Structure formats: structure tokens, C-alpha cells
Amino acid sequence: MSGLAGLLAGRVEPGVYRWHTELAAADLSESVTGAGWSLAQIADVAETKDEVLGAIGAALGFPAHFGRNLDALWDSLRDLSAPTVLLWETWGSAAYADRAGFDRIVGVLKDRAAEISEDRPAFTVLLRGDGPETDLPDLG
């Protein structure tokens, strides 16, 4: 079973993963939504912390009053109502431009991915594309 299939089936823990695949966006969408998850995607380049937070907010449909800070990110992530995969294809730009800011944002994303309950559906981030070395695991 591929890493994505395992994740969607609940056999792989949600988290923030490096994901090396050439799977077309349409195929990914079909797999994710077919498993009952939502798919959000960041494909535009965002380098600064503010740009990245804005891109995450736009991709996940956060409300207009989303504050573009880490506390607002945490609060909005906790309000997700369905299991969600966030595909971040341009993560490398942010990681190269502001590694400390990138690491802080990834920390919040990891914390939310670890918080699953009846009120908090699964949440996973897939970092696809080129970027610097990280200690994040690969999703097979």
C-alpha cells in the first residue's frame, strides 16, 4: 500500500511529510476526495511568513478575518470540519527564504496534525517538490 493510500485509510498517522511523487493533481484529488477527505493546494510561490500564512489561509478557505499569525493559524486549523490534506508544492521557496519562519509554521502544522479527536478530524500536509534538507519524514 502506498503511503498516501495508507494515510487515507488510517494506517499511516497524519503529519507533515515530504512527498516525492509525480501523481497528477486530478488523480490526487480523486484519491483524496474518494476517501472522504478534503484536498487543499498551495501552488503559488510564497516566501515570507505573511505570504505563507496567507497562502495557507486561502488554500484552506479560512475566513476573511484570518489574522496571518501563528495563533490565528492554530485556531483556524482547529476549526477544520473534515479530514484534510494540504498539498504544498512550493514549500521550498519559503524554506530557503526564511528557514526560521518556515520551521515555526511547520511546527504549528505538525501540532495540528497530531491533534485528532471526534471534534478534530485528521489533517496532513504533503510537501511536494524541491527544497532544503529537513528532518520531516517521507511519505512513501
Side-chain angles (χ1 to χ4, degrees):
M1 174 179 292
S2 76
L4 179 62
L7 172 77
L8 297 174
R11 292 184 184 96
V12 173
E13 289 292 319
V16 178
Y17 295 97
R18 299 280 308 263
W19 195 45
H20 308 281
T21 183
E22 297 299 319
L23 186 65
D27 293 332
L28 174 61
S29 179
E30 186 177 309
S31 295
V32 170
T33 58
W37 290 56
S38 295
L39 175 66
Q41 182 178 8
I42 301 172
D44 294 334
V45 172
E47 294 183 343
T48 67
K49 182 176 150 192
D50 187 60
E51 290 171 347
V52 170
L53 290 170
I56 292 171
L60 293 172
F62 291 168
H65 65 272
F66 172 61
R68 289 193 183 192
N69 61 60
L70 297 179
D71 288 335
L73 175 62
W74 174 250
D75 291 341
S76 295
L77 289 171
R78 293 186 83 211
D79 289 340
L80 293 174
S81 60
T84 302
V85 171
L86 175 61
L87 176 63
W88 187 359
E89 302 207 61
T90 57
W91 69 275
S93 296
Y96 283 124
D98 178 8
R99 186 58 184 256
F102 171 81
D103 288 343
R104 285 192 296 278
I105 290 168
V106 167
V108 172
L109 298 172
K110 286 169 63 175
D111 288 347
R112 173 53 184 89
E115 184 183 83
I116 302 170
S117 68
E118 192 171 302
D119 296 336
R120 304 276 184 265
F123 174 71
T124 291
V125 180
L126 303 178
L127 306 177
R128 180 161 77 171
D130 295 330
E133 290 297 316
T134 70
D135 61 353
L136 297 170
D138 287 339
L139 184 67

